[in-house]
Amino acid sequence: MTKWVYSFGTDRNEGDASMRNLLGGKGCNLAEMAGLGLPVPPGFTITTEVCTHYYAHGKHYPDALRAQVEDALRAVESSMGMTFGDSENPLLVSVRSGARVSMPGMMDTVLNLGLNDETVEGLSRQAGDERFAWDSYRRFIQMYGDVVLGVDHHEFEDIIDSYKRDQDITQDTAISAEGWKEIVADYKELVERELGRPFPTDPMEQLWGAISAVFSSWMVPRAITYRKIHDIPESWGTAVNVQSMVFGNMGEDSATGVAFTRDPSTGENYFYGEYLINAQGEDVVAGIRTPQSLTLKGREKEGGDLPSMEETMPEVFQQLDAVRGKLEKHYRDIQDLEFTVQKGKLFMLQTRSGKRTAKAALKIAVDLVEEGLITQEEALLRVDPQSLDQLLHPTLDPKAERDVLTKGLPASPGAASGVAVFTADEAEARAQAGEKVVLCRQETSPEDIHGMHASAGILTSRGGMTSHAAVVARGMGKPCVAGAGELHIDVKARVIRIDGRTIKDGEIVTIDGSTGEVMAGAVPTIQPEMSGDFATLMGWADSRRRMAVRTNAETPLDAQTARDFGAEGIGLCRTEHMFFEASRIQNVREMIFATDEDERRAALHKLLPEQRADFAALFEIMKGLPITIRLLDPPLHEFLPHEEEDIESFAKTAGLDTDHVRRRLSDLHEMNPMLGHRGCRLGVTYPEIYQMQARAIFEGAFESSEKTGEAVVPEIMIPLVGTRKELQLMREAVELMAEAVFEEKGKRLDYTVGTMIELPRAALTADKIAHSADFFSFGTNDLTQTCLGMSRDDAASFLPSYVEKGIYERDPFVSIDVDGVGQLVEIACERGRQVNASLKLGICGEHGGDPASIAFCEKTGLDYVSCSPYRVPIARLAAAQAAIRKGQASVKPVSATASTKKAAVAAG
Amino acid sequence: MTKWVYSFGTDRNEGDASMRNLLGGKGCNLAEMAGLGLPVPPGFTITTEVCTHYYAHGKHYPDALRAQVEDALRAVESSMGMTFGDSENPLLVSVRSGARVSMPGMMDTVLNLGLNDETVEGLSRQAGDERFAWDSYRRFIQMYGDVVLGVDHHEFEDIIDSYKRDQDITQDTAISAEGWKEIVADYKELVERELGRPFPTDPMEQLWGAISAVFSSWMVPRAITYRKIHDIPESWGTAVNVQSMVFGNMGEDSATGVAFTRDPSTGENYFYGEYLINAQGEDVVAGIRTPQSLTLKGREKEGGDLPSMEETMPEVFQQLDAVRGKLEKHYRDIQDLEFTVQKGKLFMLQTRSGKRTAKAALKIAVDLVEEGLITQEEALLRVDPQSLDQLLHPTLDPKAERDVLTKGLPASPGAASGVAVFTADEAEARAQAGEKVVLCRQETSPEDIHGMHASAGILTSRGGMTSHAAVVARGMGKPCVAGAGELHIDVKARVIRIDGRTIKDGEIVTIDGSTGEVMAGAVPTIQPEMSGDFATLMGWADSRRRMAVRTNAETPLDAQTARDFGAEGIGLCRTEHMFFEASRIQNVREMIFATDEDERRAALHKLLPEQRADFAALFEIMKGLPITIRLLDPPLHEFLPHEEEDIESFAKTAGLDTDHVRRRLSDLHEMNPMLGHRGCRLGVTYPEIYQMQARAIFEGAFESSEKTGEAVVPEIMIPLVGTRKELQLMREAVELMAEAVFEEKGKRLDYTVGTMIELPRAALTADKIAHSADFFSFGTNDLTQTCLGMSRDDAASFLPSYVEKGIYERDPFVSIDVDGVGQLVEIACERGRQVNASLKLGICGEHGGDPASIAFCEKTGLDYVSCSPYRVPIARLAAAQAAIRKGQASVKPVSATASTKKAAVAAG
């Protein structure tokens, strides 16, 4: 016969922590604690399989359930020496839900179940406290009425309020036993009026009502939505935990509290927690009384006035501290505990893995290794790579007040306050004058780069997580809030409007790029500290990972930052960023306005020395490491002025007719620049541009290696290739230029030529393209745009609701769309390596810094990932985790489905 | 021993027409004619394998070649009773190249080879005409000097000119025998001066020089380029034909001529050709004398003064006419002939398949079937589907003068003259006033539809073959020249500028959408005639094809046109086109400006009756045929006004603040609208739009079937799907609406729901999407844009040079890119049918009207193609050809490579 009910803490203890799927998180840990000999109030767990059966059979329970529940209840009675429903010494129980993963939206708790007009008297006698008994009774009716019977909890509160008004008292504590009796009577009347039948007095009826309420709550809309979003299968079901009540509110020798085995905010190894004397759990949460620190040390740290539990209940505290040690050793991780002290006796009500800050996670992981509790590999898996981001950027002081205007996308982490400015030029001017500025734009474009450089933070009202502003800001390590759609950023009027408020040019705004919040006024920030633990963990990560981690960088500053963060080369140097500097943009524009090839060559010739110097500087910083340089990629119109004022000023400087400039602008205008005349299409139509760049690379490489004595091996990358022939033509042009420079210099150097795979056609014909390529670098930003037909600059208007509706599980510009884009990456890797076994494979899209995408890259067998400088540590850790998990998967049979794994991550 | 040389017309005739690959086109047909017993001057062919050997062995001939050539030459001598190099009765020969397919750029012909100072005297004696002999000698030196020795032909002409000046004569005919002798002396001096050695006098040396010149010309740059473009393998090589000379210039009983066995321009079955008495072949081409008609009938038709050959040489004519009949019966196709009459004796010098106009091709194919010469299937394969386009549209009178300004893309066939107008409103206004107008825009947008409707033709300076203007114009069957990039169309100034010329508002322009030519002024046009042959051939095509042919149409006019052209349903009804009509655009805009769902629903409610009437009208025209209706696809901003004037007028009518309108416009603006908030993304974010459209479809279907008594089975198509979930959500919305309407009406109807496959992700995940789809329709326009990362509106700036460089063989928006886009289509078909065997598959992109793409669709097993109304006949024929070829391929072993087939098409 199927076993539907598992006892814990009674003479039989039938579960343990390994039975999470069957007993739920709460139930399995109660059994585990009881098995460890810890003082757990006895009880039993009705399994998740009952829930599944319940829904599979038109809300009917298995036949054998009733008998098994009654049997388990008997065991609790005998263990407690009390009887359920007994008028002399009544057993009271709590009923709680408990799924595999904690799930908001479900029924939480009913306490004191088993009370009625008779048993309340028994409780009163047993406790020797009539007021306690009737207070417990009214609490029960209120909770049960609300969560089981569906009577609005406000109506109960109204009764108490009206009683207090009548009696002219303000505190619940001032209500006497008689008062609670009157209130209980009113409560029962309320329930009967609302439901048309009296409040159930039979404890067994109460119990089954509560059990059914838990199972029913599995299917309430909020729970269904939550499951959909987090991809939790309906079939998992929830368990129900029935546990004998213990009371922290039975006098001054009773208490209740919550604790963490270490400080969850810093990771420091001391007992961290709060307790309240003579209180029930809900009182701690309700915040009516100020909880007291558990330990002396905690009290000192927080400067509390009230005595710690270590002082008030030294013996019980010693027991609790021993429990703490035992649980940490047993679970090998920080635990989040709930306990109750009833008349001097300690009971453990819950233990679970403790949520912690990034900083704490890092410290705890390293400490646990040093304490010999976990291995380095386990420590690496314990830290969420994404969370490291918090450690690398300044953050807002959590204690400071905030005047939040709206919330946009958390596009680049860190916080910044500054004067609102509306143009890049103004940003630069005011920054040079010593002001901290936040650049506010509808969206940014490459023309704004200098202003972005000068700003402390960037705020846009349009664009998604991989809009220009977001990508560039992350690359620069600057805070950015993007796509704050409620803001109307009026660049002409130099004002931000929202909900009738305005922020004018020159007023201070604050943005939090980690949360997306936009605030009026200044909010103080806290600078990050890189602790020794960080370096320790990174060292372990480096020793475990297979993939190399490179960075996307083109300025010496970015390159140096990334190298400091541990980058092992440059995976993407976007040469166009070098074209925007004030000193060269005029030459770039002259090149664009050239009427023939000779004029174009002349303009390019002026750019050559600066490009060469750019490359030489990067080669020098990255000496000994590989550098992938992408030749010019964006459409030419990106380099042209667009504002009327700028057009006139450019025309004047260049000695051109303004109308002519406007005509050329209009000729170059594109409907869909993303799919336009860019990438190698520029190289095919204007070969002289790529020739100049190739020359600059080779000459720069010689210049740098003369200086450092280290050979440079440039990797030249041709963008936006869709056919082998394009790559072949460009490769020939680069090779010709290489030979020309080698002849001039009288020496040679090694270099490779490869391509970005960023078009579906390139992936699908990789078996042809790989014949002409030394390497493939997956440009997953553009590959996502083309594969999904989705512009990252325009997706903000629908992508949030797509993610909300579960059409895409996550923003596909943040985390690689494995089914679509991932399929193309796999196809390209397989077909490419088939014809060219030595093909080097990497990724240089934004996904290169996303842990889930990095796991995909490991699985697909890429050689390296490349990401923005500030994500290098994240990538190092994520790559290590992916390698460890792959190793584990290859030795152990994989039992968990993909969904299980995802949910486990969500739960962890 | 390998046979390198094949004789023809001598006592041995060693080749035939099946040996085209070995003997080349000219050689194999000479042998074939000789084999038929026709009078072919004897000669021999040096095979293409010699050419291959020549290049594979450092330009050395096979050892056995010389002996074989000499042996074949002996056979010619004995056949002619003359001796090569003999001073008494010298044999003279011509040397001509002849590859498998005719190939410009290669050496063509050397005549009269074998002449020197001795043999010329023999020739003079034999012909009894000294002047003829020396004229022939100087012709030989000039031709040989030019094409074999590389002396510029102008230098020879200068010698003749200077002689004529000295003698004060103007005509070559006035040069006497003595004159030619002097000129020959000067020629020889010229050659010796240029080359540093005398002109070769040994006939065998002359012969080998000419043979080597033919083989060398296989590798001249022009020939190499031609082969690259037409994908002709270098390994094919060329053959060399050496043939005894016959002379049409031996007096009044000699003649030379060219003929077609039928009229190549109308297809009429009469002997069509020209001849010249006492002339050599080159004289006919040179145009110095007016050629005379071959037949009396021809003379009557052309109104010629000079007597026909039928009159002047009745006996020879009878022989030639008999040859005509014999060759047509033998080759079962119209032949293009060359002949020479030497002293009353007829010689055939060439026969080949005759090039013909579309009209002629159609008539000839049908006539040949009726004459029992070919089968219906052969007839179907003889007509180029693309060429039918010429028959369906008005064309420019070929005799009229043209003032060509520039050439753009031939975007939609047909010709039109009209007043140049620059806005859609003006087009409409002037058209209503009775003027014929040509709408001139940089590019068109959906806002221009009414103006395009009103215009006789459309001219744009931007955009490619599938730009908005091109697609819409083809759909309307209106002539369009797109992407005429040299034109500066200045809409504000209402003027077109090109090369210093201007065409002002109101001046007449003419466009030829079949060639891309843009002309100043009016050019008369000729209206098309649909002959009975057209209907006959279409009937045969319909009986042979497997795939259905549908049309892309949304107006009753287009639907009716397409049905008249034989469309079997609508494959794509783009509902957004219905939104642009003046009567509704205001409601559409109100819907867009709605601030909440209720307002949006109210605006949509106003649109419902008109949408319903649209659908009812289409259902009625197409009664009994399937109709695929695509729900709203374009981004909403396409419906909004963009010009300042229109914005203000809209704001006023809608009672909105102009600034508010501008803000909303700016909010809706997209960087890459192609990849933006469109397609089912609109349906997901604003479900009420698709709900209204679904209601209109169902209500319209009931309305129409009440009227016609025929059931309508609408196929509802969800656009831009990338994931199964999107389709599933939209499908559910449609199904809900269906049930609601069925309940209201108290009756039901059948309908299906499917999707466009137009994103790479959709193709790659077709195995998932097909679970929720009844049909897939390949939207290959967008699939090409996303797969190749190429905007069809912006590709004009680089695509021409891409096609020129062979990066893409053909414009991928015109003919499907089989390697990339085709791969996605195959993947989607295979994966889709795997999970849903009854999935209906079709194509509705522009490629649905392109013969090569239609062949791909047949191969891939699609159920139907859908194309614009005017391409329906083309698609019917192409589908029949594809089915026939597939049938042939499945029974015969395929020996030809893909390249062979392509080149054969190019040659045919």
Side-chain angles (χ1 to χ4, degrees), chain A residues 603-626:
Chain A
L604 284 164
H605 191 69
K606 292 194 229 163
L607 284 167
L608 176 64
E610 302 200 73
Q611 274 261 285
R612 182 173 51 221
D614 291 334
F615 292 133
L618 282 184
F619 292 145
E620 211 173 309
I621 291 169
M622 284 284 161
K623 61 174 177 282
L625 299 178

Side-chain angles (χ1 to χ4, degrees), chain A residues 462 666 726 802 823 831, chain B residues 462 666 726 802 823 831:
Chain A
R462 290 225 204 100
S666 142
E726 285 168 302
Y802 261 53
Q823 205 180 134
R831 297 187 184 172
Chain B
R462 288 225 204 101
S666 140
E726 284 168 302
Y802 260 54
Q823 204 181 135
R831 297 188 184 172

Side-chain angles (χ1 to χ4, degrees), chain A residues 485-780:
Chain A
E486 291 180 341
L487 299 180
H488 281 293
I489 296 183
D490 188 336
V491 170
K492 279 207 182 128
R494 297 172 178 247
V495 68
I496 303 174
R497 293 194 192 84
I498 177 164
D499 285 343
R501 294 183 63 173
T502 57
I503 305 287
K504 287 187 205 121
D505 185 23
E507 291 184 9
I508 303 283
V509 289
T510 298
I511 59 171
D512 185 342
S514 308
T515 64
E517 279 182 343
V518 180
M519 290 143 277
V523 181
T525 57
I526 300 171
Q527 286 304 310
E529 278 171 53
M530 299 286 199
S531 70
D533 294 328
F534 180 83
T536 304
L537 194 84
M538 284 294 120
W540 296 342
D542 291 346
S543 72
R544 293 309 188 286
R545 67 190 156 86
R546 181 190 61 79
M547 291 192 294
V549 174
R550 299 196 192 179
T551 192
N552 301 347
E554 37 277 328
T555 65
L557 178 66
D558 282 351
Q560 191 58 56
T561 305
R563 197 154 189 178
D564 293 345
F565 277 139
E568 297 162 292
I570 290 181
L572 176 62
C573 165
R574 289 154 293 206
T575 51
E576 59 270 19
H577 286 213
M578 301 166 169
F579 278 28
F580 281 104
E581 292 201 10
S583 63
R584 8 201 136 156
I585 188 74
Q586 187 72 15
N587 288 336
V588 173
R589 289 173 179 174
E590 278 176 25
M591 184 267 287
I592 297 170
F593 274 84
T595 53
D596 60 23
E597 195 184 314
D598 285 344
E599 268 186 52
R600 207 155 37 236
R601 282 189 188 279
L604 284 164
H605 191 69
K606 292 194 229 163
L607 284 167
L608 176 64
E610 302 200 73
Q611 274 261 285
R612 182 173 51 221
D614 291 334
F615 292 133
L618 282 184
F619 292 145
E620 211 173 309
I621 291 169
M622 284 284 161
K623 61 174 177 282
L625 299 178
I627 299 193
T628 306
I629 298 162
R630 179 177 73 184
L631 301 188
L632 195 70
D633 183 53
L636 296 181
H637 52 77
E638 283 204 6
F639 299 100
L640 296 182
H642 292 290
E643 305 288 331
E644 197 47 39
E645 209 176 306
D646 299 338
I647 292 171
E648 280 166 24
S649 123
F650 163 68
K652 210 167 158 187
T653 319
L656 294 165
D657 177 51
T658 317
D659 276 347
H660 171 65
V661 173
R662 275 199 208 94
R663 261 205 303 283
R664 182 93 177 107
L665 270 173
S666 142
D667 286 347
L668 285 173
H669 170 79
E670 294 187 311
M671 299 279 282
N672 296 291
M674 159 68 205
L675 309 174
H677 193 169
R678 49 169 288 231
C680 69
R681 294 163 192 171
L682 294 171
V684 169
T685 49
Y686 307 114
E688 51 280 5
I689 299 179
Y690 279 15
Q691 285 164 6
M692 181 281 280
Q693 293 198 296
R695 176 175 281 279
I697 291 167
F698 293 121
E699 292 182 352
F702 282 124
E703 193 175 312
S704 151
S705 55
E706 274 159 26
K707 214 158 161 185
T708 67
E710 290 223 43
V712 175
V713 182
E715 302 173 342
I716 297 176
M717 180 152 73
I718 311 298
L720 212 74
V721 160
T723 70
R724 181 187 173 186
K725 190 138 189 183
E726 285 168 302
L727 179 58
Q728 191 50 39
L729 285 172
M730 296 300 99
R731 184 181 187 106
E732 283 161 11
V734 167
E735 285 168 348
L736 272 175
M737 184 53 74
E739 292 306 321
V741 175
F742 296 168
E743 186 147 320
E744 287 163 23
K745 299 275 174 192
K747 52 189 174 182
R748 311 182 64 82
L749 54 76
D750 289 333
Y751 65 96
T752 59
V753 180
T755 182
M756 273 180 106
I757 300 289
E758 50 188 335
L759 297 176
R761 195 184 195 283
L764 292 165
T765 59
D767 47 347
K768 300 198 174 78
I769 292 174
H771 284 292
S772 300
D774 301 317
F775 61 87
F776 281 174
S777 178
F778 290 95
T780 47

Side-chain angles (χ1 to χ4, degrees), chain B residues 630-668:
Chain B
R630 180 178 72 184
L631 301 188
L632 195 69
D633 183 53
L636 296 181
H637 51 78
E638 282 204 5
F639 299 100
L640 295 183
H642 292 289
E643 304 288 329
E644 196 49 37
E645 209 176 305
D646 299 338
I647 292 172
E648 278 166 26
S649 124
F650 163 68
K652 211 167 160 188
T653 319
L656 292 166
D657 177 51
T658 318
D659 275 348
H660 171 65
V661 172
R662 274 198 210 96
R663 260 204 303 281
R664 183 93 177 104
L665 271 172
S666 140
D667 284 348
L668 285 172

Side-chain angles (χ1 to χ4, degrees), chain B residues 102 260 263-265 334-336 352-357 360 906-908:
Chain B
S102 116
F260 285 83
D263 184 337
S265 131
I334 177 180
Q335 293 296 299
D336 170 356
R352 59 182 173 187
S353 173
K355 285 205 195 308
R356 65 212 86 174
T357 64

